[in-house]
Amino acid sequence: QVQLVESGGGSVQAGGSLRLSCVVSGSTDRSSTNWMGWFRQAPGKEREGVAAIAADRSNTPYAASVRGRFTISRDNAKNTVYLQMNGLKSEDSAIYYCATAPRTVTYWGALLADKYNYWGQGTQVTVSS
């Protein structure tokens, strides 16, 4: 069974930074052929795609609300994906999840939750004003 475990969440003041990590285990291909994505969900709101990165790192779509502030990266040798979050705002507060999707997913589909097969348990990010 594929497992994903997020870490790095916490509480920060507006304008601060955090780096989230997600370690993937239980995959014979080390998830090296998959998209990796970050999603978030705040209370009373729908889950939204934040950022994604292709297996070969050739494409990195971002939600408009985070473009220029967040950076996604991956280290396939370590089976790990990262989300560097700078200039945090109160509206970024949410539970953040990492997930994997097949390589065949298109660039424009890579921020859609229904394209993803496996999910982590989430890590809480709280930004105070």
Side-chain angles (χ1 to χ4, degrees):
Q1 181 179 3
V2 175
Q3 293 183 323
L4 298 84
V5 179
E6 303 96 334
S7 62
S11 298
V12 298
Q13 293 185 336
S17 298
L18 286 172
R19 189 175 80 152
L20 306 183
S21 299
C22 175
V23 179
V24 182
S25 63
S27 176
T28 57
D29 65 1
R30 307 165 188 169
S31 297
S32 62
T33 62
N34 298 332
W35 283 90
M36 296 291 297
W38 286 97
F39 296 77
R40 67 187 182 187
Q41 188 164 23
K45 300 182 67 176
E46 295 183 353
R47 186 184 304 165
E48 64 173 333
V50 176
I53 184 167
D56 62 0
R57 306 176 183 86
S58 62
N59 292 109
T60 55
Y62 292 91
S65 59
V66 308
R67 190 175 297 115
R69 298 187 297 121
F70 291 9
T71 302
I72 189 170
S73 61
R74 67 190 295 168
D75 185 338
N76 289 340
K78 296 181 178 180
N79 298 318
T80 302
V81 62
Y82 305 93
L83 185 68
Q84 178 67 46
M85 305 185 295
N86 298 326
L88 284 163
K89 305 174 181 180
S90 60
E91 51 263 46
D92 295 319
S93 296
I95 299 175
Y96 283 71
Y97 302 89
C98 65
T100 66
R103 185 173 59 180
T104 53
V105 171
T106 67
Y107 178 93
W108 298 110
L111 293 179
L112 301 178
D114 63 2
K115 304 298 184 182
Y116 284 74
N117 301 316
Y118 299 99
W119 294 81
Q121 84 292 339
T123 185
Q124 178 71 52
V125 172
T126 302
V127 184
S128 60
S129 302

